[in-house]
Amino acid sequence: MTRHPAGQEPDAGQPPATDRTPYTGAVYGSLLSASVIAGASTPGPYPRLQLVLLLLCTGVVFWAAHSYCALVGDRFLHTPASWREVRHVCAHEWPIAQAAVAPATAVAISPLLGMGLEAAAWLALGVAVVQQVAWASAAVVLAGASRRVVLTAAAVNLVLGLLIVAAKVAVKHV
Protein backbone atom coordinates (compact mmCIF):
# COMPACT_ATOMS: atom_id res chain seq x y z
CA MET A 1 0.00 0.00 0.00
CA THR A 2 1.36 3.40 -0.93
CA ARG A 3 1.49 6.10 1.74
CA HIS A 4 1.19 9.80 1.00
CA PRO A 5 1.47 12.60 3.55
CA ALA A 6 -1.91 14.07 4.42
CA GLY A 7 -3.32 15.98 1.46
CA GLN A 8 -0.26 15.41 -0.75
CA GLU A 9 0.10 13.34 -3.88
CA PRO A 10 3.46 11.93 -4.95
CA ASP A 11 5.59 13.97 -7.32
CA ALA A 12 4.75 12.81 -10.86
CA GLY A 13 8.45 12.35 -11.62
CA GLN A 14 9.17 10.25 -8.51
CA PRO A 15 7.98 6.75 -7.72
CA PRO A 16 5.72 6.61 -4.66
CA ALA A 17 7.11 5.36 -1.37
CA THR A 18 5.93 1.95 -0.21
CA ASP A 19 5.48 0.30 3.16
CA ARG A 20 7.83 -2.54 2.23
CA THR A 21 11.43 -2.96 3.29
CA PRO A 22 13.98 -3.76 0.56
CA TYR A 23 14.19 -7.36 1.82
CA THR A 24 10.52 -8.28 1.41
CA GLY A 25 11.12 -9.70 -2.06
CA ALA A 26 14.12 -11.71 -0.87
CA VAL A 27 12.10 -13.29 1.94
CA TYR A 28 9.27 -14.06 -0.48
CA GLY A 29 11.70 -15.40 -3.08
CA SER A 30 13.46 -17.60 -0.53
CA LEU A 31 10.15 -19.11 0.52
CA LEU A 32 9.31 -19.63 -3.14
CA SER A 33 12.67 -21.33 -3.77
CA ALA A 34 12.18 -23.65 -0.83
CA SER A 35 8.73 -24.55 -2.15
CA VAL A 36 10.08 -25.33 -5.61
CA ILE A 37 12.81 -27.56 -4.18
CA ALA A 38 10.38 -29.37 -1.90
CA GLY A 39 7.86 -30.02 -4.67
CA ALA A 40 10.16 -30.58 -7.62
CA SER A 41 10.40 -33.90 -9.33
CA THR A 42 13.30 -33.98 -11.72
CA PRO A 43 12.99 -36.96 -14.04
CA GLY A 44 15.04 -36.88 -17.17
CA PRO A 45 18.63 -37.21 -18.33
CA TYR A 46 19.88 -34.07 -16.51
CA PRO A 47 17.88 -33.80 -13.26
CA ARG A 48 20.34 -31.47 -11.53
CA LEU A 49 20.34 -29.05 -14.48
CA GLN A 50 16.55 -29.30 -14.61
CA LEU A 51 16.30 -28.36 -10.91
CA VAL A 52 18.67 -25.40 -11.39
CA LEU A 53 16.64 -24.17 -14.38
CA LEU A 54 13.35 -24.77 -12.56
CA LEU A 55 14.56 -22.67 -9.62
CA LEU A 56 15.82 -19.80 -11.77
CA CYS A 57 12.85 -19.78 -14.16
CA THR A 58 10.32 -19.95 -11.32
CA GLY A 59 12.08 -17.06 -9.59
CA VAL A 60 11.94 -14.96 -12.76
CA VAL A 61 8.29 -15.82 -13.44
CA PHE A 62 7.26 -14.94 -9.89
CA TRP A 63 9.31 -11.73 -10.11
CA ALA A 64 7.51 -10.75 -13.32
CA ALA A 65 4.11 -11.63 -11.85
CA HIS A 66 4.84 -9.77 -8.61
CA SER A 67 6.09 -6.71 -10.52
CA TYR A 68 3.00 -6.73 -12.72
CA CYS A 69 0.70 -7.03 -9.70
CA ALA A 70 2.51 -4.18 -7.94
CA LEU A 71 2.09 -1.99 -11.01
CA VAL A 72 -1.52 -2.87 -11.71
CA GLY A 73 -2.68 -3.17 -8.12
CA ASP A 74 -1.05 -0.05 -6.77
CA ARG A 75 0.69 2.27 -9.19
CA PHE A 76 -1.80 2.28 -12.06
CA LEU A 77 -4.62 3.12 -9.65
CA HIS A 78 -2.96 6.41 -8.68
CA THR A 79 -1.39 7.62 -11.92
CA PRO A 80 -0.46 6.15 -15.27
CA ALA A 81 2.94 4.48 -14.98
CA SER A 82 5.85 5.73 -17.03
CA TRP A 83 8.63 3.46 -18.27
CA ARG A 84 10.72 4.93 -15.46
CA GLU A 85 8.14 3.74 -12.94
CA VAL A 86 7.96 0.29 -14.56
CA ARG A 87 11.76 -0.01 -14.35
CA HIS A 88 11.68 1.16 -10.73
CA VAL A 89 9.06 -1.44 -9.75
CA CYS A 90 10.86 -4.22 -11.63
CA ALA A 91 14.15 -3.31 -9.94
CA HIS A 92 12.45 -3.12 -6.54
CA GLU A 93 10.95 -6.60 -7.01
CA TRP A 94 14.17 -8.14 -8.42
CA PRO A 95 15.16 -9.77 -5.06
CA ILE A 96 12.38 -12.30 -5.72
CA ALA A 97 14.34 -13.64 -8.69
CA GLN A 98 17.70 -13.18 -6.96
CA ALA A 99 16.61 -15.37 -4.06
CA ALA A 100 16.63 -18.40 -6.38
CA VAL A 101 20.34 -17.96 -7.18
CA ALA A 102 21.81 -19.31 -3.92
CA PRO A 103 19.73 -22.53 -3.88
CA ALA A 104 20.38 -23.03 -7.61
CA THR A 105 24.10 -22.53 -6.98
CA ALA A 106 23.95 -25.11 -4.19
CA VAL A 107 22.48 -27.63 -6.63
CA ALA A 108 25.02 -26.71 -9.32
CA ILE A 109 28.06 -27.19 -7.05
CA SER A 110 26.72 -30.26 -5.22
CA PRO A 111 28.65 -32.71 -7.48
CA LEU A 112 31.87 -31.01 -6.35
CA LEU A 113 30.87 -31.92 -2.80
CA GLY A 114 30.24 -35.54 -3.82
CA MET A 115 26.48 -35.26 -3.35
CA GLY A 116 23.82 -37.22 -5.13
CA LEU A 117 20.67 -35.56 -6.42
CA GLU A 118 18.63 -36.11 -3.27
CA ALA A 119 21.37 -34.67 -1.05
CA ALA A 120 21.70 -31.72 -3.46
CA ALA A 121 17.98 -31.00 -3.15
CA TRP A 122 18.24 -31.08 0.65
CA LEU A 123 21.28 -28.78 0.52
CA ALA A 124 19.40 -26.32 -1.69
CA LEU A 125 16.37 -26.48 0.58
CA GLY A 126 18.57 -25.75 3.59
CA VAL A 127 20.17 -22.81 1.78
CA ALA A 128 16.72 -21.43 0.88
CA VAL A 129 15.46 -21.69 4.47
CA VAL A 130 18.63 -20.17 5.94
CA GLN A 131 18.55 -17.24 3.53
CA GLN A 132 14.85 -16.73 4.20
CA VAL A 133 15.52 -16.41 7.93
CA ALA A 134 18.54 -14.19 7.27
CA TRP A 135 16.67 -11.82 4.92
CA ALA A 136 13.70 -11.55 7.27
CA SER A 137 16.02 -10.79 10.17
CA ALA A 138 17.94 -8.22 8.12
CA ALA A 139 14.68 -6.52 7.16
CA VAL A 140 13.55 -5.99 10.73
CA VAL A 141 17.03 -4.95 11.86
CA LEU A 142 17.08 -2.37 9.03
CA ALA A 143 13.69 -1.15 10.20
CA GLY A 144 15.16 -0.52 13.65
CA ALA A 145 13.23 -3.26 15.41
CA SER A 146 14.00 -4.41 18.92
CA ARG A 147 15.94 -7.61 19.58
CA ARG A 148 12.66 -9.32 20.54
CA VAL A 149 11.07 -8.42 17.20
CA VAL A 150 14.17 -9.59 15.30
CA LEU A 151 14.08 -12.92 17.11
CA THR A 152 10.33 -13.23 16.50
CA ALA A 153 10.76 -12.53 12.77
CA ALA A 154 13.56 -15.10 12.59
CA ALA A 155 11.46 -17.67 14.45
CA VAL A 156 8.37 -17.11 12.28
CA ASN A 157 10.42 -17.47 9.11
CA LEU A 158 12.17 -20.55 10.44
CA VAL A 159 8.77 -22.11 11.18
CA LEU A 160 7.59 -21.27 7.64
CA GLY A 161 10.72 -22.87 6.21
CA LEU A 162 10.37 -25.92 8.42
CA LEU A 163 6.75 -26.31 7.27
CA ILE A 164 8.11 -26.63 3.74
CA VAL A 165 10.69 -29.16 4.94
CA ALA A 166 7.87 -31.11 6.64
CA ALA A 167 5.87 -30.99 3.42
CA LYS A 168 8.84 -32.39 1.48
CA VAL A 169 9.20 -35.22 4.01
CA ALA A 170 5.45 -35.92 3.95
CA VAL A 171 5.25 -35.94 0.13
CA LYS A 172 8.21 -38.32 -0.05
CA HIS A 173 6.40 -40.76 2.26
CA VAL A 174 3.08 -40.66 0.41
Side-chain angles (χ1 to χ4, degrees), residues 46-62:
Y46 306 104
R48 211 176 301 264
L49 177 61
Q50 289 172 282
L51 182 54
V52 167
L53 292 174
L54 178 63
L55 279 163
L56 296 175
C57 290
T58 303
V60 169
V61 167
F62 269 76

Side-chain angles (χ1 to χ4, degrees), residues 35 122 131:
S35 298
W122 280 108
Q131 77 174 3

Side-chain angles (χ1 to χ4, degrees), residues 27 47 61 71 147 153:
V27 172
V61 167
L71 284 165
R147 179 175 289 165

Side-chain angles (χ1 to χ4, degrees), residues 21 23 26-27 130-141 149-150 153-154 157:
T21 66
Y23 300 119
V27 172
V130 167
Q131 77 174 3
Q132 174 189 338
V133 172
W135 285 122
S137 299
V140 294
V141 166
V149 172
V150 172
N157 278 277

Side-chain angles (χ1 to χ4, degrees):
M1 174 65 65
T2 303
R3 285 193 229 170
H4 307 290
Q8 295 181 3
E9 287 300 314
D11 179 25
Q14 297 292 347
T18 64
D19 293 331
R20 295 179 41 201
T21 66
Y23 300 119
T24 303
V27 172
Y28 180 79
S30 298
L31 188 60
L32 166 69
S33 293
S35 298
V36 168
I37 296 160
S41 65
T42 54
Y46 306 104
R48 211 176 301 264
L49 177 61
Q50 289 172 282
L51 182 54
V52 167
L53 292 174
L54 178 63
L55 279 163
L56 296 175
C57 290
T58 303
V60 169
V61 167
F62 269 76
W63 161 75
H66 210 265
S67 296
Y68 174 76
C69 291
L71 284 165
V72 171
D74 191 22
R75 289 357 185 246
F76 286 162
L77 293 177
H78 301 292
T79 59
S82 65
W83 279 110
R84 181 173 182 260
E85 176 68 2
V86 170
R87 284 190 307 273
H88 171 77
V89 168
C90 289
H92 189 263
E93 300 299 335
W94 188 241
I96 293 171
Q98 286 176 313
V101 173
T105 301
V107 172
I109 67 166
S110 64
L112 301 173
L113 303 172
M115 296 180 156
L117 184 59
E118 186 173 346
W122 280 108
L123 174 64
L125 182 55
V127 167
V129 171
V130 167
Q131 77 174 3
Q132 174 189 338
V133 172
W135 285 122
S137 299
V140 294
V141 166
L142 182 67
S146 68
R147 179 175 289 165
R148 189 176 127 241
V149 172
V150 172
L151 291 174
T152 300
V156 166
N157 278 277
L158 181 59
V159 167
L160 290 171
L162 292 176
L163 286 172
I164 293 170
V165 170
K168 180 172 176 54
V169 170
V171 167
K172 183 174 177 141
H173 290 93
V174 170

